[in-house]
Amino acid sequence: MATKKPGKVVKDVLEKAVDKVTEMVNPPIPGVPNSEPPSFEEPTEPRGPLPPKADQTGPETVSPTGAPTGAPKVSMGQQGEFLTTSVGARLYDTDHSLKAGERGPTLLQDHHLREKIMHFDHERIPERVVHARGYGVHGTFQGYGTASNVCMADFLADGVETPVFVRFSTVVGSRGSADTVRDTRGFSTKFYTQQGNFDLVANNIPVFFIQDGIKFPDIIHAAKPHPDREIPQAQSAHDTFWDFVSTHTEATHHVMWHMSDRGIPRSYRTMEGFGVHTFRLVNAAGETALAKFHWKPKLGVHSLVWEEAQMINGIDPDFHRRDLADAIESGAYPQWELGLQVLPDTPRQTFEGIDLLDPTKIVPEELAPVQPVGLLTLNRNPMNFFAETEQVAFHVGNLVPGIDVTDDPLLQARLFSYLDTQLTRLAGPNFNQIPINRPHVPVNDMFRDGFHQHAVHAGVAPYRPNTLDGGNPFTARAEDRPLVEVAQPLPKAVKVREAPTSFADHYTQPRMFWQSLSPVEKEHLVRAFTFELGKCYEQAIKERQLAVLANVDPTLCREVAQGLGLPVPNATVRPKKVAPSPALSQVGKTWPTDGRLIGIVVDPADLDGVRVVREAVLAGGMVPLLIAPTGGPLDGSGLVAQRTFLTARSVEFDALLLAGSPPPGPDAVPARDDKAGAPGTAVDPRVVLMVQECFRHSKAIGAWGTGRVALDAAGCAAGPGIVTGDDATKVLTGVTALLGAHRVWERFPATVS
């Protein structure tokens, strides 16, 4: 083997040292495709697969029956430096099929051709009927120990760290739909606990459209695209959705949340999660309590404005998944606290007049505070989307000792549905042996055979009782802490298809939700109802939904009716007096700015302050993106432009800084860039447009030096949320303070109070 010359070794060491220093000064911007940059020429010297990027990891390497293998996670990926068949035979060519002569027909004996095409033909599996579009990441959960008095689950104990896999998703759209549509979001967490897997299958809205699981096909059929045209995709602004919810008024509470800003979250990182149902907890003494699960984001709850969401759907339909992956890659690990609303387990299973078995109702946090019991940190992206995110299988019946279900009729149906759907999606009963689904504890289930059986079972007696296998497996004793269903007395009743009378109030909690919102959030809710109902074809459906809103709140109904040009109907139900719940509003608090994206417009002729501000943004845990006429290095300054006026758009940034007011670039003509607008301006028109959009979307904007010229050109030189000055660092400080409130809502005063 050839050895490097001493001079070459020294040169390599120096180059690596320089590269390391450069990386420290200019840390990589998230989004790099692989762990090593590509060469200009195609490599010809054989080498093994590249390692995963630093932000990526795969499932734990446990066996199909839960035994740790000790193998590194990269062993789950492809191996070796040569292309092979699926059984390891090396191949010398994969570009040409085997033919009878170079111009002859292809031969049937070409095994590599047939294997390659066969596998390609079967690469896709059925997408989820709901929650088809999602993104999953790895993380850890650390218990605080504060739940020990109500729940004996080990993963909640003080200091216990549990690996997790979390999948966020939209509900209605297909896998190919966009991220920022108005929809409910899934927030499902698989805890790989030492007592087995626990799946908390949550949503970002705490209530659901229906009270009984038998109605689930109805609401999904109504919300999905119309079956004749298969449009509209990933939207609720159509007749079938509003036809259903206006006639099935138990959906009203969910519709209020759906039409609010909660329906278009800014990112998965600024989104709450709710277990929706009431669960039963058991402590070590066997005492029970009822509880609702909450995920509280450390960054606060934050949403997009409607125009922003519409723009993003066209500009970057992967906005939410990219935001999450980039944040993790850049080290801004998102965190949530898991909280419990603990409620007494009474025979009627009610609390303060609220039926806890009704999934269309919440318990206001002012009546039952959310008690933090642990911290979730997401810190690793998956190595393979299909193997992990697409094949992960959640199930509300995956429980651990200390957590049990209740008689909520929606939850009861989910206990069947989640298990049943995996049989079609994952082609058989062995889906829990897929690496991402494998528990990290021993498995001895006596299940055998079936499609995709990965375990190689020993023994001859997969039944109980037996003596041929030495009696194995044995049932657990009480001291072994098995999963035991809580013994609940059942009411004496006859079989009926009915709902409790307590389920009949469909308007009081929607009214509480409306009255709990800030004026700006009420404006957004009115706009959403007006837009969505305005997309309906049938006038009767609009009028019917207005009749529902009249029973919620007269102001809400009047404002929506005015927008639709329809008369205001009278209420048919006398509204109950309700107390607002401040916890339901997203506005009025300040939050950390970790991972926020800061766009910095630079003029290559005037880079004063840019370097200082960029370093300050990084030091503050945020991500700076320099925007210049062209990408790449900026005049030997060591600064690199990651965005150009052609590629940048305001919706990508949480705030905008103007370090310069560059003149129109050579491509600033409508024929080259639609955003360029009319020629003849002193400032590049795309910069002007960016400023105007940020202003319109109530984002903070800062400028210093010549950057103030761009503010003037955009007509946005003054007003709330505009920070100017001669000191770039002070401008950034002012903008960062504004970012803590997410947006500058006072820029456009609301008309609804």
Side-chain angles (χ1 to χ4, degrees):
M1 180 182 293
T3 57
K4 293 183 178 179
K5 297 179 180 180
K8 173 66 172 172
V9 173
V10 173
K11 181 180 178 183
D12 289 347
V13 171
L14 288 174
E15 287 180 348
K16 289 181 179 179
V18 171
D19 289 343
K20 188 65 176 177
V21 172
T22 302
E23 183 174 318
M24 292 171 64
V25 175
N26 292 300
I29 296 299
V32 60
N34 213 335
S35 56
E36 292 183 14
S39 59
F40 180 78
E41 299 290 344
E42 180 181 355
T44 57
E45 187 67 25
R47 60 169 295 181
L50 296 180
K53 296 193 297 179
D55 63 289
Q56 295 177 321
T57 189
E60 292 293 330
T61 53
V62 294
S63 76
T65 51
T69 65
K73 292 181 181 179
V74 293
S75 66
M76 303 287 283
Q78 60 270 37
Q79 305 293 319
E81 63 267 44
F82 296 108
L83 177 69
T84 73
T85 66
S86 63
V87 292
R90 294 180 180 178
L91 294 162
Y92 68 92
D93 187 298
T94 190
D95 298 325
H96 307 93
S97 55
L98 193 64
K99 308 179 188 69
E102 63 180 25
R103 298 177 62 82
T106 300
L107 299 178
L108 185 62
Q109 74 178 67
D110 189 346
H111 170 72
H112 175 47
L113 166 68
R114 289 186 290 119
E115 182 183 58
K116 186 175 181 180
I117 295 298
M118 176 275 296
H119 197 281
F120 171 78
D121 288 344
H122 296 271
E123 281 182 358
R124 295 294 173 264
I125 64 175
E127 66 176 34
R128 291 168 169 85
V129 176
V130 289
H131 296 276
R133 181 170 181 81
Y135 191 77
V137 291
H138 295 273
T140 60
F141 177 84
Q142 187 163 27
Y144 292 163
T146 52
S148 59
N149 61 323
V150 293
C151 184
M152 62 180 175
D154 284 354
F155 77 98
L156 295 175
D158 187 22
V160 172
E161 191 168 285
T162 302
V164 299
F165 188 78
V166 178
R167 185 179 186 270
F168 301 100
S169 56
T170 55
V171 174
V172 176
S174 68
R175 272 193 63 189
S177 59
D179 279 351
T180 60
V181 296
R182 182 177 294 282
D183 198 357
T184 305
R185 299 309 192 281
F187 188 148
S188 297
T189 307
K190 187 177 289 292
F191 298 81
Y192 302 97
T193 87
Q194 289 304 299
Q195 296 177 302
N197 287 356
F198 168 56
D199 292 353
L200 180 54
V201 191
N203 285 337
N204 76 318
I205 291 178
V207 292
F208 206 63
F209 286 105
I210 54 175
Q211 296 169 323
D212 193 310
I214 200 170
K215 295 296 296 179
F216 190 73
D218 298 295
I219 177 57
I220 299 304
H221 287 168
K224 285 283 189 178
H226 292 199
D228 54 351
R229 299 186 179 187
E230 186 63 11
I231 56 174
Q233 175 63 239
Q235 296 181 54
S236 52
H238 55 87
D239 288 75
T240 58
F241 174 82
W242 289 101
D243 181 42
F244 178 82
V245 300
S246 63
T247 53
H248 202 66
T249 55
E250 68 191 49
T252 303
H253 195 186
H254 190 117
V255 168
M256 294 289 289
W257 284 75
H258 189 86
M259 292 297 108
S260 76
D261 291 344
R262 305 283 186 140
I264 43 174
R266 160 61 180 83
S267 72
Y268 295 136
R269 298 182 292 133
T270 58
M271 189 177 81
E272 280 185 293
F274 303 92
V276 178
H277 308 288
T278 301
F279 290 81
R280 180 169 279 108
L281 305 182
V282 188
N283 65 15
E287 299 165 330
T288 64
L290 301 181
K292 286 182 174 290
F293 289 99
H294 293 249
W295 288 115
K296 295 288 188 181
K298 285 286 194 177
L299 296 179
V301 188
H302 182 30
S303 297
L304 298 167
V305 297
W306 180 233
E307 184 189 39
E308 238 185 336
Q310 291 176 301
M311 291 169 62
I312 292 170
N313 281 338
I315 295 166
D316 184 7
D318 304 307
F319 185 76
H320 281 158
R321 58 174 64 185
R322 190 188 311 281
D323 172 87
L324 180 61
D326 284 356
I328 291 173
E329 186 178 356
S330 61
Y333 301 147
Q335 293 183 318
W336 290 258
E337 278 193 313
L338 179 63
L340 295 175
Q341 281 184 299
V342 180
L343 313 161
D345 189 1
T346 63
R348 292 185 59 82
Q349 298 174 91
T350 62
F351 179 76
E352 298 288 338
I354 302 166
D355 194 324
L356 299 176
L357 300 186
D358 183 350
T360 69
K361 304 293 192 300
I362 65 168
V363 176
E365 294 183 27
E366 292 73 25
L367 297 180
V370 177
Q371 305 172 34
V373 298
L375 181 67
L376 169 69
T377 303
L378 300 182
N379 54 19
R380 285 291 181 267
N381 287 308
M383 287 198 299
N384 185 277
F385 180 90
F386 178 84
E388 299 169 83
T389 302
E390 190 63 16
Q391 290 196 122
V392 67
F394 295 98
H395 178 35
V396 290
N398 286 344
L399 303 166
V400 291
I403 304 175
D404 201 358
V405 298
T406 58
D407 296 332
D408 175 337
L410 177 60
L411 175 57
Q412 292 284 316
R414 292 177 75 191
L415 291 169
F416 168 79
S417 179
Y418 279 69
L419 197 64
D420 182 61
T421 192
Q422 311 304 345
L423 294 175
T424 296
R425 287 201 65 250
L426 300 173
N430 292 311
F431 50 85
N432 279 327
Q433 293 184 18
I434 296 171
I436 193 63
N437 296 321
R438 292 177 184 175
H440 298 179
V441 292
V443 173
N444 196 344
D445 53 23
M446 294 196 300
F447 301 150
R448 293 295 183 268
D449 307 338
F451 282 110
H452 309 300
Q453 176 61 255
H454 293 274
V456 183
H457 296 104
V460 297
Y463 52 83
R464 275 194 48 80
N466 75 73
T467 60
L468 291 177
D469 279 351
N472 181 272
F474 298 88
T475 54
R477 301 158 297 186
E479 59 266 30
D480 301 316
R481 302 185 64 193
L483 177 63
V484 178
E485 296 80 8
V486 176
Q488 284 293 117
L490 298 177
K492 292 182 179 179
V494 296
K495 291 185 289 187
V496 295
R497 292 190 184 272
E498 295 178 1
T501 55
S502 55
F503 280 34
D505 182 357
H506 300 161
Y507 303 115
T508 301
Q509 288 213 340
R511 179 174 173 79
M512 178 185 66
F513 182 78
W514 165 259
Q515 293 190 358
S516 302
L517 300 181
S518 66
V520 68
E521 291 171 302
K522 288 181 177 179
E523 289 282 4
H524 294 168
L525 189 64
V526 168
R527 183 193 306 177
F529 270 113
T530 307
F531 174 86
E532 298 245 337
L533 289 169
K535 298 281 281 188
C536 291
Y537 180 87
E538 296 293 347
Q539 202 78 345
I541 292 176
K542 303 176 190 179
E543 294 171 354
R544 191 189 309 138
Q545 183 59 36
L546 284 175
V548 173
L549 297 183
N551 291 333
V552 174
D553 186 89
T555 301
L556 170 62
C557 182
R558 182 186 68 245
E559 295 294 324
V560 176
Q562 180 180 340
L564 295 173
L566 293 174
V568 181
N570 294 321
T572 58
V573 175
R574 177 177 295 178
K576 296 181 181 179
K577 187 176 181 179
V578 296
S581 172
L584 301 181
S585 174
Q586 298 181 194
V587 175
K589 299 179 182 178
T590 57
W591 303 97
T593 57
D594 302 16
R596 294 302 178 88
L597 269 64
I598 311 299
I600 306 176
V601 174
V602 301
D603 185 340
D606 182 13
L607 295 175
D608 294 341
V610 172
R611 180 178 288 100
V612 174
V613 165
R614 182 181 181 277
E615 291 174 357
V617 169
L618 287 167
M622 298 176 286
V623 179
L625 294 175
L626 304 189
I627 315 164
T630 58
L634 295 171
D635 295 340
S637 63
L639 297 173
V640 177
Q642 296 92 14
R643 299 292 187 274
T644 68
F645 301 155
L646 174 67
T647 61
R649 199 66 189 266
S650 66
V651 292
E652 183 177 8
F653 311 117
D654 294 293
L656 188 66
L657 298 178
L658 299 165
S661 298
D667 62 341
V669 293
R672 191 69 53 81
D673 186 351
D674 293 335
K675 304 192 301 297
T681 57
V683 182
D684 191 295
R686 295 160 301 179
V687 173
V688 173
L689 177 63
M690 201 179 307
V691 173
Q692 291 171 336
E693 288 176 348
C694 285
F695 186 89
R696 193 163 65 246
H697 299 156
S698 298
K699 295 179 179 179
I701 305 171
W704 64 89
T706 60
R708 284 173 285 200
V709 175
L711 282 178
D712 291 330
C716 306
I722 303 297
V723 183
T724 59
D726 296 321
D727 187 313
T729 305
K730 290 182 179 179
V731 170
L732 174 62
T733 301
V735 167
T736 304
L738 292 168
L739 265 179
H742 297 314
R743 297 193 193 253
V744 189
W745 295 121
E746 57 269 29
R747 185 176 291 160
F748 302 108
T751 61
V752 179
S753 60

